[in-house]
Amino acid sequence: MLLNSAEAGGGLQNLTPKRLLLSGIIIIILGAVLGWYGFPELIHSQIASSICLKPGSEIREMWSNFPDPVGFKVYLFNVTNPAEIQKGERPALREVGPYVYDEYKHKAELLDHEEDDSISFNNRDTWFFNRQQSGQLTGDEIITIPHLLILGMVLSAERDMAVMLPAITRAIPMIFGTQDSMFLTATAKDILFDGVLINCTLKDFTAKALCMLMKTQGKDFQKVGKNAFKFSFFGVKNGTLQERLRLKRGIQNVADVGRVVAYKEQPRMSVWSGPKCNEFSGTDGSIFPPFLQDGVSVRAYAPDLCSTFRSLNARYVGPTVYKGIKGNIYSADFGDMSNNPDLKCFCTTPKSCLKRGVHDLTRCTGAPLAVSLPHFFRAHEDYLNEVTGLYPEQARHETTLHFEPLTGTPMLGYKRLQFNIILRKVSKFTPMKNLHAMIFPILWVDEGLELDDKYVSQLKSIFVIISIINIFKWITIVVGGILVATGLFILIQKLTISAILALGRKSPEVSPRDIETPLRY
């Protein structure tokens, strides 16, 4: 038996246990270094290179001219009791929608600025009515909403130039054809895109002066003649170049990609009352940096809401899975400028801060407008109690983003915003002399995008590579471990055999004479 073990040991000696141990240790170290540092750094480097807005890159082409339409839904709040509202009753609203449009986003007149690694451009958004997805709605439905032009002129005059209010109220019936209503009744398509005709072919001096003021100061008017123009919510923006925007390209530092550095050639805003509120913070919402960390908020500047707006903070909510890809959920709202010291500078005046969930746009639009989440979701309950017909739901009314954190890819996103007018009683204008002060909803929009299977497949290919690397990492460690274990086994076996042989050589030899012959009887 001892001889067989010795023979086996002699065969195993050819496997050189020291080399096995050394090879196994080297393979383990190599697998650990490559698996936990080398390959991840290589992947991060490739992602950073592919995400930045480098001239001629695939991501830049997609970013500047996204080939697929973004879903754009509009819901109008039809006023069912306009006469009663003017007598002081609560508005009764009925939501009509969605009117669905295909929105194509394009960035024009791109100009690179090598000195600070930035790019400037003009956004151009184009909408096409999607008749099929709008269901039974055609756009010909008759809708009643607050008349923004009448209310805007009256409220602005009462606030800034009260002496002109009587002349303005006298000119309103001549221009708008109504003298006893603060509401506009028109088709949905005219309100949204086609435009409501404004008659300025007048000889009255006050009416002509008021028309001239509207034409020179109103940027939301579509000229249809020398003395005629149309007003709509989105028509003037459809297919036209917007204000110049400038972002970081992220070539020098990918963490900066998409960060807004200037709007209308200005490095900061000047409309708000504090330096913090006038800073550009975050991206423009069309691209985000990679390597997002759990628990860290995402910020985006939203210049499309009005000429000078603000950055929105989307806070981290938790993990999610989208079509098999792990991601993070973020949710945004307008905060509470009445209680949050960091948001106080957004107040129109220190004494007129709006309550939680509503942001005053008066300073940047010139009109008494406010924005909130739809149906006053997450806003102060007082706003919801001022009207009837609103029913806030998180699933339908939340502004949310789902990101894949490694690449910073938005997998799902819905920007949902409600536009309101800030109303108060105006005793010198008959339709408003009995009015209750309120935030009056007009419409809300749902701009959303969900990553389709084509882009999901491209995103998944990154994780296939990562999975292969992880498999390689553990295979190398297992193989290295087997070599180390084998080397140790052989080494221990050799040492054991050597010890046994050495022990055998040291044992005393037994002489035949020392063996007693057994007695025979």
Side-chain angles (χ1 to χ4, degrees):
M1 187 71 181
L2 184 61
L3 181 61
N4 292 336
S5 299
E7 290 175 354
L12 291 173
Q13 285 178 353
N14 297 326
L15 296 178
T16 57
K18 290 183 179 179
R19 290 185 179 180
L20 288 174
L21 282 170
L22 183 60
S23 299
I25 291 170
I26 291 173
I27 290 174
I28 290 173
I29 293 173
L30 185 64
V33 170
L34 291 178
W36 271 280
Y37 178 77
F39 288 135
E41 283 298 313
L42 179 61
I43 290 173
H44 278 221
S45 175
Q46 291 298 314
I47 289 174
S49 177
S50 63
I51 292 297
C52 66
L53 299 175
K54 191 183 303 180
S57 65
E58 183 179 354
I59 189 68
R60 174 155 159 168
E61 174 60 27
M62 183 177 296
W63 167 79
S64 62
N65 191 16
F66 195 71
D68 300 323
V70 175
F72 189 85
K73 301 177 182 178
V74 186
Y75 299 80
L76 289 161
F77 291 113
N78 183 43
V79 180
T80 61
N81 62 337
E84 289 77 9
I85 293 171
Q86 295 182 171
K87 295 177 183 178
E89 295 187 15
R90 281 198 307 171
L93 308 178
R94 182 177 64 88
E95 183 181 276
V96 181
Y99 294 93
V100 182
Y101 294 81
D102 293 328
E103 180 187 11
Y104 289 89
K105 290 184 171 293
H106 175 68
K107 293 174 174 58
E109 300 184 12
L110 276 67
L111 179 63
D112 288 278
H113 304 272
E114 300 291 343
E115 66 276 10
D116 65 346
D117 189 28
S118 67
I119 181 172
S120 59
F121 57 92
N122 298 88
N123 279 315
R124 178 191 284 124
D125 298 334
T126 308
W127 289 273
F128 298 95
F129 183 61
N130 191 316
R131 179 68 181 82
Q132 183 177 2
Q133 292 190 20
S134 298
Q136 296 181 347
L137 298 174
T138 64
D140 294 319
E141 295 76 20
I142 303 299
I143 304 292
T144 297
I145 62 170
H147 202 307
L148 295 186
L149 294 182
I150 292 177
L151 294 172
M153 285 189 294
V154 171
L155 291 168
S156 297
E158 197 242 5
R159 182 190 65 223
D160 301 326
M161 45 183 182
V163 68
M164 293 294 297
L165 188 57
I168 290 174
T169 57
R170 186 173 62 86
I172 283 175
M174 290 182 279
I175 298 173
F176 300 104
T178 178
Q179 58 184 357
D180 59 355
S181 178
M182 51 173 268
F183 293 96
L184 166 67
T185 298
T187 64
K189 62 184 180 183
D190 285 343
I191 292 172
L192 296 177
F193 281 95
D194 290 354
V196 177
L197 186 64
I198 306 300
N199 178 27
C200 280
T201 57
L202 303 168
K203 295 183 179 180
D204 180 85
F205 174 78
T206 304
K208 288 175 66 176
L210 195 57
C211 275
M212 183 63 66
L213 182 66
M214 286 192 295
K215 286 190 291 185
T216 55
Q217 294 187 355
K219 59 182 179 300
D220 294 324
F221 298 133
Q222 301 164 267
K223 292 184 179 180
V224 294
K226 184 178 180 180
N227 293 310
F229 56 93
K230 290 183 176 183
F231 169 79
S232 66
F233 275 93
F234 307 108
V236 73
K237 297 179 181 179
N238 195 7
T240 60
L241 292 179
Q242 303 304 307
E243 298 288 355
R244 196 87 176 150
L245 194 62
R246 187 164 171 172
L247 312 178
K248 284 286 190 179
R249 299 182 302 178
I251 297 174
Q252 297 177 2
N253 182 3
V254 73
D256 283 338
V257 68
R259 181 167 62 84
V260 178
V261 294
Y263 181 59
K264 295 196 292 187
E265 307 297 342
Q266 298 300 315
R268 58 188 294 111
M269 295 177 280
S270 59
V271 70
W272 308 116
S273 57
K276 188 169 184 179
C277 290
N278 281 315
E279 293 176 355
F280 296 120
S281 180
T283 77
D284 72 330
S286 64
I287 190 169
F288 293 87
F291 318 129
L292 300 176
Q293 299 178 2
D294 293 353
V296 178
S297 299
V298 174
R299 296 186 67 83
Y301 175 68
D304 54 333
L305 299 183
C306 71
S307 57
T308 312
F309 191 43
R310 59 173 282 191
S311 296
L312 283 178
N313 184 58
R315 68 187 185 283
Y316 174 78
V317 175
T320 186
V321 176
Y322 178 79
K323 295 185 178 181
I325 299 177
K326 293 181 180 180
N328 294 336
I329 302 175
Y330 298 81
S331 179
D333 57 42
F334 293 96
D336 188 354
M337 65 177 67
S338 63
N339 289 315
N340 188 339
D342 292 335
L343 301 179
K344 283 281 187 181
C345 46
F346 285 125
C347 298
T348 305
T349 65
K351 296 182 179 180
S352 62
C353 283
L354 297 180
K355 299 174 185 177
R356 183 185 72 245
V358 180
H359 179 77
D360 194 342
L361 298 178
T362 304
R363 284 191 175 185
C364 56
T365 62
L369 296 177
V371 65
S372 66
L373 295 183
H375 288 241
F376 292 123
F377 177 66
R378 287 187 181 153
H380 197 283
E381 57 272 13
D382 285 354
Y383 297 128
L384 188 62
N385 295 333
E386 289 169 351
V387 299
T388 63
L390 301 189
Y391 309 96
E393 301 175 23
Q394 180 174 356
R396 295 186 65 235
H397 304 137
E398 181 182 34
T399 289
T400 183
L401 291 166
H402 294 196
F403 283 101
E404 192 292 300
L406 182 63
T407 61
T409 302
M411 300 184 294
L412 176 150
Y414 291 101
K415 184 172 69 175
R416 293 157 172 157
L417 301 170
Q418 176 175 299
F419 293 92
N420 317 274
I421 187 166
I422 306 171
L423 295 183
R424 63 180 183 271
K425 180 166 66 175
V426 179
S427 58
K428 295 182 179 181
F429 183 53
T430 302
M432 300 177 69
K433 67 180 182 180
N434 297 315
L435 199 65
H436 285 302
M438 69 182 78
I439 306 294
F440 200 119
I442 303 168
L443 58 82
W444 68 276
V445 297
D446 183 351
E447 186 180 40
L449 179 66
E450 296 185 15
L451 212 60
D452 63 22
D453 294 340
K454 176 179 64 177
Y455 298 112
V456 168
S457 297
Q458 294 176 2
L459 198 55
K460 283 183 176 179
S461 64
I462 297 174
F463 296 99
V464 170
I465 295 172
I466 293 174
S467 297
I468 293 172
I469 290 172
N470 283 331
I471 292 171
F472 168 80
K473 173 178 66 180
W474 290 110
I475 286 176
T476 55
I477 290 173
V478 169
V479 170
I482 291 173
L483 291 176
V484 170
T486 303
L488 286 173
F489 174 77
I490 296 173
L491 184 61
I492 291 171
Q493 189 178 44
K494 289 181 67 175
L495 291 174
T496 302
I497 293 172
S498 298
I500 292 172
L501 293 175
L503 184 62
R505 286 194 297 269
K506 291 180 180 181
S507 299
E509 293 183 1
V510 181
S511 174
R513 296 179 181 180
D514 295 332
I515 301 175
E516 296 183 359
T517 303
L519 296 175
R520 295 183 181 179
Y521 297 94

